[in-house]
Amino acid sequence: MSDLVARTGRLQQRYEAGCRLVAGCIPFRYRNSNETGDNNSEKVVEVLMINSPSGPGLLFPKGGWENDETVEEAAVREAVEEAGVRGNLMDFIGWYHFKSKTHQDEFSPEGLCKAAMFALFVTEELDAWPERNTRTRSWLTIPEAVESCRHPWMKGALEDGFSKWLATSQQVKRRTQV
């Protein structure tokens, strides 16, 4: 049984210029490209996506950024609540605007949202998490994730934000290892 409880409601939500502020992340890990676990094998990047109870396609964990937390804390909280993962929040990868059909309210009647997305290196997968009864996790390669993304803005965050961040961070890592 999980002691963690998902936050609900909109009373503590942040808004800016008619947009609901959202925080999320692209959880990722490395796995060896061959099954032997050989350290000389190439590392494959996999990203974690979750299903949505409200329709087809896969998503990255994200949700409302609340008044009593930083945007980083909100992104980490959403990863635990929705995907049941913990890890190291690496870097901010960008702001993404989208329109939510399901989250219109008095402060954002048009359903406009602005999401801060981060890269999260996963160090732990929880057996129990708040939304485990309505969410399933899927580890996918980046090309598989691009094909499975439910929302165009998330596909953009993956292709334009995360993939570019990953390429840059790997170049820096290679330079420091030489």
Side-chain angles (χ1 to χ4, degrees):
M1 194 58 128
S2 175
D3 291 338
L4 301 170
V5 177
R7 290 184 175 201
T8 58
R10 293 288 167 93
L11 294 175
Q12 296 296 317
Q13 297 283 291
R14 290 181 188 236
Y15 292 85
E16 177 183 274
C19 287
R20 178 174 170 246
L21 299 180
V22 172
C25 63
I26 298 179
F28 73 101
R29 70 181 181 189
Y30 296 98
R31 81 169 158 79
N32 290 330
S33 60
N34 64 27
E35 297 302 316
T36 64
D38 180 4
N39 285 338
N40 294 328
S41 70
E42 185 176 324
K43 300 285 186 194
V44 174
V45 175
E46 293 180 318
V47 295
L48 181 68
M49 299 188 80
I50 54 175
N51 71 314
S52 169
S54 66
L58 297 176
L59 314 168
F60 295 111
K62 60 107 182 100
W65 171 15
E66 299 190 357
N67 290 326
D68 65 344
E69 61 190 351
T70 66
V71 68
E72 294 86 358
E73 289 169 339
V76 168
R77 175 180 51 78
E78 290 295 335
V80 171
E81 288 180 1
E82 292 189 348
V85 293
R86 290 190 175 118
N88 300 322
L89 201 63
M90 304 299 287
D91 285 307
F92 173 73
I93 58 172
W95 286 103
Y96 298 88
H97 291 83
F98 65 99
K99 188 171 182 175
S100 173
K101 294 177 187 157
T102 57
H103 292 301
Q104 297 172 346
D105 58 33
E106 64 183 295
F107 301 108
S108 180
E110 300 295 320
L112 300 176
C113 298
K114 181 178 172 183
M117 294 295 287
F118 295 86
L120 177 85
F121 179 68
V122 174
T123 58
E124 180 182 9
E125 286 185 62
L126 305 172
D127 292 327
W129 69 96
E131 297 185 21
R132 72 188 173 285
N133 293 328
T134 58
R135 305 267 189 195
T136 56
R137 301 183 283 214
S138 300
W139 284 103
L140 306 167
T141 64
I142 292 174
E144 291 169 335
V146 168
E147 289 300 313
S148 300
C149 256
R150 178 176 178 178
H151 300 297
W153 76 267
M154 284 190 179
K155 188 181 289 191
L158 179 59
E159 291 180 307
D160 301 330
F162 179 79
S163 292
K164 288 178 183 174
W165 168 81
L166 186 64
T168 301
S169 67
Q170 288 177 339
Q171 287 173 354
V172 168
K173 187 177 179 181
R174 280 194 286 274
R175 273 188 250 136
T176 58
Q177 289 176 344
V178 175

